[in-house]
Amino acid sequence: MSYCKQEGKDRVVFVTEEDHNAPAAVSLPEEDEPPAGLIQPDGEINWACPCLGGMTTGPCGVEFRESFTCFHYSTADPKGSDCFEPFSRMTECMSQYPNVYGSKNDDREMPKDELTSEDSSEIGHSEVSAKA
Amino acid sequence: MFRCGSLASRIAQPSSRVARHGKARGINRSHCDRGYSNASKKPMTMNDLPQPQGSWAKRHERMQKKYNLQLAVGLGFAGFTLFAAKQSGLVNFYFGPGKLKFGKGVESKEQEAAAVEEETITEPPADVESEALPETPAETPLAAPIDTESAAAPSAPVDTKPASAPPTPVEVPAKPKQVEEAAITESSAVVSKSEEDAKSASTAKESAGKVSDIPEHVPYLIIGAGTSSVAAFRAIKAKDAKAKVLVISGEGENPYMRPPLSKELWYSDDIEATNKLRFKQWNGKERSIYFEHEEYYTPVKELATRENGGISIVKGRKVVKLDVHKKRAFIDDGSEVSYDKCLIATGGTPKSLPVFDNAGEDILKNVTLFRSVSDFQRLHNVAQQGKHITIIGGGFLGSELACALGYKLKATSGSVTQIYPEAGNMGRVLPEYLSKWTTEKVKSEGVEIIPNSFVEEVKSAKDEKVKLKLNTGKEIVTDHVVVAVGLEPNVELAQSSGLEIDDTHGGFRVNAELEARSNLWVAGDAACFFDIKLGRRRVEHHDHAIVSGRLAGENMTGSGKPYWHQSMFWSDLGPEVGYEAIGIVDSSLPTVGVFAKATAKDTPKAVVEATGESLRSETEQVADTSSLMHSSDPHAPLKGEDYGKGIIFYLRENIVVGIVLWNVYNRMPIARKIIKDGKSYDDLSEVAKLFSLHSE
């Protein structure tokens, strides 16, 4: 059984587990806009997706986009095999910025960890502190 | 019928009474004393009438003088009361439209000009005979402008300490025409003064080679290189792949994250890493506080010509003026940039206290207004030496620093004291019972807490120490003082560029799309924006900086979206206790807190003793469940059954406008939805069920 006390203008309620096992009398409405994923409903690529991390905004962003667009619309088999040119330009660009696009860097973190509010999976508040 | 006066003797001696009575009645009437005075029984004569004491005219004059004096004193006092009421802002006579407000320095000068005019206007209605009371107060405002003028000058180039509080910040109503004229002449005088100062400051700088670096024109200009700027330029680049973005950093650093400066950086054991501003995240990986590596940014020289665009950071410069109509920015070294879209993300400067503003150099070298990386490095050095540090301020920054320093100084055998005017830590954010609990927690981290106090006087003591004298009379001798009493948004651009400032919240006034004017946006700490759900507000948190920066960036590339995604914030008081919050979290609002009651099965991870009991950090492992009762009657909280975890709802007119998740994690999306709904609920305990408090 829960109980409640009043401290001035603040009310405090202590609830037991049993009370909270029952389903809530109120419910939240459905989310009207689900967070956008990598591919938009019309098939276009969502460049602002946090999953892409800093790839689109970095110094090699344009090269990355060209390669990824080519891959996305590629109809060859295997997919993307006709995109060698853009990919090689991208890797060449990335090799000029090793600190940004490090291959197996333990010291450096991908920038995508810093974006907070968009992520639907907030694992822990201290991760938020790392993210943000 | 009145008989004899000696009633007492009559009652006492009835026998004699009877005898005497008989005598008085009949025989010897002349002995009866009826109590009349024995005055002479002569009849009245004309001599008994009152006689004239002197000239009537003289007396009349004397009386009139007395009455006139009373009238004069009365009128004078009434006039003084009206004047005092008007000056103190108690009463607004609404003689005319209010004055334009641009900033602290200019505002007080306009006030003095208007105040002087106001006095001449109110003089005629006052009584002619009254003393020169209205005139003397006019003289004191005239003396004040001298102070504000000297204060306005140094404020433009370098703002290490904000100017002292303006005298009587009051809406002084005055005749519109005179005010406008005065205002225009005043503001133009100050503008030319600040530009002069800026130019003289720039000539002192050795910026000869760098001036040519800044391109003539840039499509996207961002003023300020903080968290909002980062979110903005990322959003811009995501939408506009080949965008060229120029970021101007007044502080001279690459953009960095601010929260670790008062949290993670203090808890790492690796001194080397801390000196390089690197810290360990919760997942064990180390990272730098800087958002991006230096290589990420395009050198300023190359920006204009780089085919794929880029993001360049200009360090150590400030934008002093914006011509919003012509879209030109004027930089303090004399160069100019024209832009297509501009974002102001200037953030804020830590507030100071008047006692420190007037202190001498020898004291100020031991005082830190904590905000930036250089402040952190300075304080870290002091902490390494195991000194005594005093923190003034009991809000987020003050409390976090207190816990962090408490932790750090254990190893170096230093000590920390925290002074604040509220009754408990986070007194303005958390409801009283939680604030009390938080204070106990901070105490357990080894901090000496002095609540309900503020510093009245500061003196230097021997051995380069500082002596603080509090309003309670207590004196503290300390090695270093950290001031964390709030943030003043950097709005110097408003007055030079014709931008509006909000007087309630401070900061640039912008609409829900974060626009101040055409092609000009403001984001972050400096933006006072219209929140469609919660009303106009200004938020000084990290997540808000990111959300608003991103929104501004998207709007700069043409989205036109309003602020809808509610930002959250969090605070860590040491590694064990933390909470997340969203919306308006102000302790003056009525709150409803729903806490999970600990039963025999439930052992909260952070066991907290009920308020009033001493706190021991070692009892974290096992809660003393034997003393718990599974009773249904209302009773005082027992050990273990207390504020372990819960949800606190902040209500405004019965609608939930803010939520604090106390030791409850992963539930922020639910809280966000509740705020977005903006409904009023009958039973908030039902709403709390949505958070599944009891599952882990």
Side-chain angles (χ1 to χ4, degrees):
Chain A
M1 203 52 211
S2 330
Y3 79 92
C4 153
K5 61 174 177 164
Q6 189 88 19
E7 302 213 18
K9 60 165 172 63
D10 306 315
R11 247 182 75 212
V12 186
V13 181
F14 289 93
V15 289
T16 57
E17 193 167 345
E18 288 112 41
D19 289 335
H20 262 210
N21 268 340
V26 299
S27 62
L28 294 169
E30 287 297 312
E31 187 82 51
D32 18 52
E33 324 168 1
L38 180 59
I39 309 296
Q40 285 165 5
D42 58 358
E44 295 286 320
I45 302 172
N46 176 20
W47 297 113
C49 178
C51 57
L52 290 173
M55 303 294 274
T56 46
T57 62
C60 303
V62 176
E63 284 85 355
F64 168 77
R65 279 189 218 221
E66 282 167 5
S67 336
F68 195 63
T69 314
C70 173
F71 175 82
H72 182 63
Y73 289 110
S74 158
T75 46
D77 178 36
K79 193 166 162 87
S81 48
D82 53 349
C83 296
F84 180 72
E85 258 253 19
F87 266 115
S88 61
R89 261 184 283 141
M90 182 177 82
T91 34
E92 194 192 311
C93 171
M94 287 187 177
S95 62
Q96 290 172 12
Y97 302 96
N99 279 312
V100 182
Y101 299 105
S103 43
K104 278 176 205 178
N105 236 327
D106 291 341
D107 297 343
R108 194 195 54 79
E109 272 297 317
M110 281 300 283
K112 73 174 170 193
D113 290 335
E114 292 143 23
L115 298 167
T116 69
S117 314
E118 288 177 6
D119 292 4
S120 44
S121 58
E122 287 171 48
I123 300 168
H125 85 288
S126 27
E127 187 192 344
V128 172
S129 85
K131 283 179 173 190
Chain B
M1 210 159 114
F2 183 80
R3 299 281 182 192
C4 307
S6 50
L7 286 161
S9 53
R10 269 164 91 192
I11 296 161
Q13 299 156 351
S15 46
S16 60
R17 169 177 68 91
V18 173
R20 267 197 328 167
H21 194 66
K23 280 191 202 161
R25 239 195 164 175
I27 306 161
N28 273 335
R29 275 228 183 157
S30 58
H31 286 303
C32 180
D33 187 323
R34 290 193 188 209
Y36 294 131
S37 67
N38 284 332
S40 62
K41 304 235 183 341
K42 283 184 350 203
M44 296 271 277
T45 63
M46 288 296 280
N47 285 344
D48 294 326
L49 288 171
Q51 294 194 343
Q53 308 284 326
S55 152
W56 180 89
K58 279 207 197 108
R59 183 167 192 275
H60 178 79
E61 212 182 285
R62 217 175 54 230
M63 295 308 288
Q64 286 308 307
K65 265 197 209 144
K66 189 171 94 180
Y67 296 150
N68 279 344
L69 182 64
Q70 279 179 359
L71 179 64
V73 169
L75 277 174
F77 189 71
F80 172 73
T81 306
L82 281 174
F83 170 75
K86 181 173 52 86
Q87 276 303 94
S88 69
L90 197 67
V91 179
N92 191 340
F93 290 110
Y94 291 109
F95 283 136
K99 293 171 16 288
L100 287 173
K101 289 211 181 124
F102 284 121
K104 281 206 288 208
V106 184
E107 182 197 335
S108 35
K109 276 220 294 204
E110 288 180 12
Q111 268 173 34
E112 312 319 334
V116 174
E117 288 161 332
E118 181 63 18
E119 290 321 298
T120 53
I121 294 163
T122 54
E123 276 254 52
D127 188 32
V128 179
E129 265 192 332
S130 64
E131 315 292 336
L133 278 167
E135 285 155 38
T136 42
E139 287 168 359
T140 45
L142 285 170
I146 303 168
D147 293 337
T148 53
E149 268 193 20
S150 54
S155 71
V158 179
D159 52 338
T160 44
K161 276 180 278 294
S164 49
T168 61
V170 152
E171 290 205 299
V172 179
K175 292 269 176 340
K177 206 170 71 168
Q178 285 157 310
V179 171
E180 266 167 48
E181 284 172 358
I184 290 168
T185 47
E186 300 282 6
S187 53
S188 57
V190 176
V191 167
S192 53
K193 209 174 163 49
S194 61
E195 281 198 311
E196 267 179 334
D197 288 343
K199 288 217 172 83
S200 58
S202 68
T203 48
K205 280 199 196 133
E206 29 90 38
S207 51
K210 290 188 190 161
V211 179
S212 53
D213 279 4
I214 298 181
E216 295 251 323
H217 171 85
V218 73
Y220 299 98
L221 177 67
I222 299 182
I223 303 176
T227 314
S228 288
S229 314
V230 174
F233 67 59
R234 284 181 181 168
I236 292 172
K237 261 295 203 154
K239 275 278 188 71
D240 183 355
K242 300 197 178 170
K244 293 179 185 161
V245 184
L246 184 68
V247 181
I248 301 191
S249 164
E251 199 179 313
E253 295 263 1
N254 275 346
Y256 60 88
M257 303 176 357
R258 213 175 289 285
L261 293 182
S262 60
K263 296 188 253 294
E264 286 91 337
L265 278 176
W266 293 98
Y267 292 97
S268 112
D269 305 311
D270 186 352
I271 303 294
E272 274 303 311
T274 310
N275 286 337
K276 283 196 230 134
L277 302 167
R278 299 183 69 82
F279 63 95
K280 256 208 188 108
Q281 299 171 98
W282 70 278
N283 56 7
K285 285 203 199 148
E286 204 188 70
R287 68 153 293 153
S288 168
I289 62 170
Y290 291 100
F291 282 103
E292 303 285 358
H293 195 273
E294 179 76 44
E295 272 181 6
Y296 178 94
Y297 304 108
T298 312
V300 184
K301 288 197 280 284
E302 293 168 24
L303 185 66
T305 49
R306 195 166 190 265
E307 191 203 328
N308 288 340
I311 300 156
S312 297
I313 313 241
V314 174
K315 294 188 205 170
R317 307 284 180 76
K318 273 198 172 181
V319 174
V320 290
K321 185 178 161 173
L322 281 176
D323 187 337
V324 186
H325 183 62
K326 299 210 182 98
K327 300 199 264 192
R328 289 191 79 78
F330 300 87
I331 301 177
D332 58 359
D333 61 0
S335 52
E336 298 175 12
V337 193
S338 72
Y339 62 84
D340 292 333
K341 316 270 178 184
C342 178
L343 171 68
I344 296 178
T346 45
T349 316
K351 280 192 186 157
S352 177
L353 291 169
V355 279
F356 292 108
D357 284 340
N358 304 326
E361 232 347 277
D362 52 340
I363 297 178
L364 288 176
K365 67 174 193 276
N366 288 329
V367 176
T368 302
L369 274 75
F370 195 87
R371 173 121 173 123
S372 65
V373 165
S374 50
D375 298 325
F376 164 77
Q377 285 167 328
R378 192 170 163 213
L379 191 62
H380 192 242
N381 274 336
V382 173
Q384 296 285 96
Q385 295 164 35
K387 302 214 167 170
H388 179 273
I389 300 179
T390 304
I391 299 176
I392 301 181
F396 291 105
L397 186 60
S399 308
E400 283 174 9
L401 276 178
C403 290
L405 285 171
Y407 173 83
K408 192 87 187 171
L409 291 171
K410 271 184 222 155
T412 57
S413 70
S415 51
V416 194
T417 304
Q418 191 181 9
I419 303 172
Y420 48 78
E422 295 89 24
N425 283 68
M426 311 297 210
R428 294 206 200 155
V429 175
L430 298 175
E432 200 185 324
Y433 57 92
L434 275 183
S435 165
K436 276 191 209 157
W437 185 92
T438 309
T439 311
E440 293 305 311
K441 179 66 189 154
V442 175
K443 275 191 203 160
S444 76
E445 293 286 319
V447 181
E448 180 203 351
I449 293 192
I450 307 178
N452 302 311
S453 319
F454 57 88
V455 175
E456 258 185 359
E457 221 186 305
V458 60
K459 287 197 193 93
S460 52
K462 56 180 188 260
D463 291 336
E464 305 215 332
K465 291 188 198 265
V466 177
K467 187 184 331 197
L468 300 167
K469 185 154 169 273
L470 306 182
N471 59 327
T472 52
K474 188 162 175 162
E475 284 189 357
I476 300 176
V477 178
T478 184
D479 291 307
H480 202 89
V481 181
V482 178
V483 180
V485 297
L487 194 73
E488 192 67 53
N490 288 337
V491 292
E492 296 103 10
L493 269 179
Q495 184 255 307
S496 62
S497 319
L499 303 172
E500 203 182 350
I501 291 185
D502 189 274
D503 24 4
T504 324
H505 302 100
F508 297 96
R509 213 179 253 178
V510 297
N511 62 8
E513 284 80 17
L514 303 183
E515 280 173 336
R517 286 178 59 174
S518 309
N519 299 310
L520 183 63
W521 289 262
V522 188
D525 291 352
C528 175
F529 66 102
F530 179 66
D531 185 331
I532 301 173
K533 281 280 164 231
L534 300 175
R536 183 161 282 278
R537 54 201 273 247
R538 187 172 69 83
V539 179
E540 290 174 1
H541 292 298
H542 179 96
D543 192 43
H544 168 76
I546 296 217
V547 168
S548 62
R550 184 167 54 221
L551 178 66
E554 286 171 355
N555 286 352
M556 283 161 90
T557 51
S559 289
K561 287 200 283 208
Y563 188 96
W564 66 273
H565 182 99
Q566 202 51 246
S567 64
M568 53 82 79
F569 63 94
W570 76 97
S571 187
D572 290 340
L573 300 170
E576 294 156 26
V577 172
Y579 59 90
E580 302 179 343
I582 186 170
I584 298 181
V585 176
D586 185 332
S587 63
S588 62
L589 294 172
T591 67
V592 174
V594 181
F595 291 89
K597 190 165 133 172
T599 61
K601 289 183 279 179
D602 190 19
T603 306
K605 284 208 175 95
V607 171
V608 175
E609 312 243 29
T611 56
E613 303 201 40
S614 62
L615 198 60
R616 280 154 279 140
S617 323
E618 293 85 47
T619 54
E620 307 296 334
Q621 322 312 328
V622 175
D624 187 7
T625 54
S626 53
S627 62
L628 285 176
M629 290 192 293
H630 201 62
S631 149
S632 46
D633 301 322
H635 51 267
L638 301 170
K639 216 173 5 161
E641 178 202 82
D642 36 37
Y643 311 118
K645 54 196 274 198
I647 317 282
I648 301 111
F649 299 93
Y650 289 71
L651 304 165
R652 189 171 64 186
E653 285 155 29
N654 221 26
I655 297 178
V656 178
V657 292
I659 298 177
V660 168
L661 305 176
W662 187 259
N663 264 348
V664 171
Y665 309 112
N666 311 332
R667 313 284 203 267
M668 194 43 78
I670 306 173
R672 188 169 279 126
K673 265 200 217 161
I674 296 176
I675 303 258
K676 190 167 171 207
D677 273 352
K679 292 209 297 254
S680 90
Y681 300 95
D682 290 324
D683 186 2
L684 283 166
S685 176
E686 292 294 316
V687 181
K689 279 190 194 171
L690 296 165
F691 288 90
S692 317
L693 277 178
H694 295 269
S695 64
E696 193 30 49

